[in-house]
Amino acid sequence: MTSEAEISNQLHDVFAAFDETFAGITETQMRRLDFDEWSLMDIIPHVTGWNEVMGESLERVARGDSPVRIGSGVEIFDAWNEKFVAKKRPCSPSEVVNDLLVSFQNFHEVLEASPEKKFDQRAIERINFEISHYEEHTKQIGEWRKGQ
C-alpha cells in the first residue's frame, strides 16, 4: 500500500505540473473557448471546485463520517461542473488562478492533517481522483499549448 507521504508527494507533483501548464498564458488565451465549449477560465474553476469537494470529503472521512455524496452519471457530474464554473464566472483570471492555488493548498493541508489510519479506501479514492484529474487536464492543456 502506498504511504501517506508518497501520496502527498505524488499529489504535489501532479499539481505542480498542472499549474505549470498555464503559466504565462495571456488573459485573451485564458478566455478563448479552445476546449470544446470551455476555456481555461472554465477548466481552472472546475478543478478548483473538485479540490474543494474532495477536501471536504477527506475531512469527513478523517472524522469517521461518510464522504460528500457526489452521485453518479454524466448528468450529475455536468451539474457539479456547471456549478463550479458559474461560481467563478465573474472573476478575473488572476482571481481564478489564486482560488485554484488556495483550494489545492487547503486540500493538501487536509491530506497532511488526516491521520494515516483514516486513509481507508474512500480517502484513497478521493485522492486518486484528484491525481488523475490533474493529469487529465495537464495533458489536455499541454497539447493545446503545443498548437499555439
Side-chain angles (χ1 to χ4, degrees):
M1 181 175 198
T2 307
S3 74
E4 180 180 349
E6 290 169 321
I7 291 170
S8 178
N9 289 338
Q10 183 181 11
L11 182 67
H12 187 271
D13 291 347
V14 296
F15 178 79
F18 173 69
D19 184 43
E20 181 63 28
T21 62
F22 52 86
I25 291 178
T26 67
E27 183 169 338
T28 300
Q29 289 172 310
M30 292 277 288
R31 294 185 183 281
R32 279 199 325 241
L33 300 177
D34 286 340
F35 303 91
D36 295 321
E37 296 181 8
W38 276 21
S39 68
L40 287 173
M41 288 292 291
D42 299 318
I43 292 172
I44 296 169
H46 151 83
V47 173
T48 299
W50 286 112
N51 285 348
E52 293 167 352
V53 169
M54 293 301 132
E56 183 181 346
S57 286
L58 283 182
E59 286 177 325
R60 292 172 66 159
V61 169
R63 290 192 310 261
D65 297 334
S66 295
V68 173
R69 185 170 167 84
I70 295 168
S72 62
V74 173
E75 296 83 14
I76 298 296
F77 281 93
D78 285 349
W80 279 90
N81 290 334
E82 180 53 36
K83 179 179 121 180
F84 300 147
V85 172
K87 179 180 172 184
K88 302 294 183 183
R89 218 165 252 134
C91 298
S92 71
S94 61
E95 289 171 315
V96 165
V97 171
N98 186 62
D99 289 348
L100 171 71
L101 297 173
V102 168
S103 74
F104 174 76
Q105 184 176 30
N106 290 342
F107 179 82
H108 199 259
E109 287 172 3
V110 168
L111 174 64
E112 294 287 317
S114 297
E116 192 155 356
K117 67 180 187 249
K118 293 289 186 176
F119 259 49
D120 65 7
Q121 189 58 37
R122 299 171 305 172
I124 298 297
E125 286 171 3
R126 268 85 188 152
I127 296 162
N128 285 336
F129 173 89
E130 287 297 282
I131 289 169
S132 66
H133 199 212
Y134 294 132
E135 291 171 336
E136 170 191 354
H137 290 298
T138 298
K139 180 180 177 187
Q140 178 188 35
I141 297 166
E143 289 172 358
W144 169 77
R145 287 198 79 157
K146 287 178 187 173
Q148 294 296 300

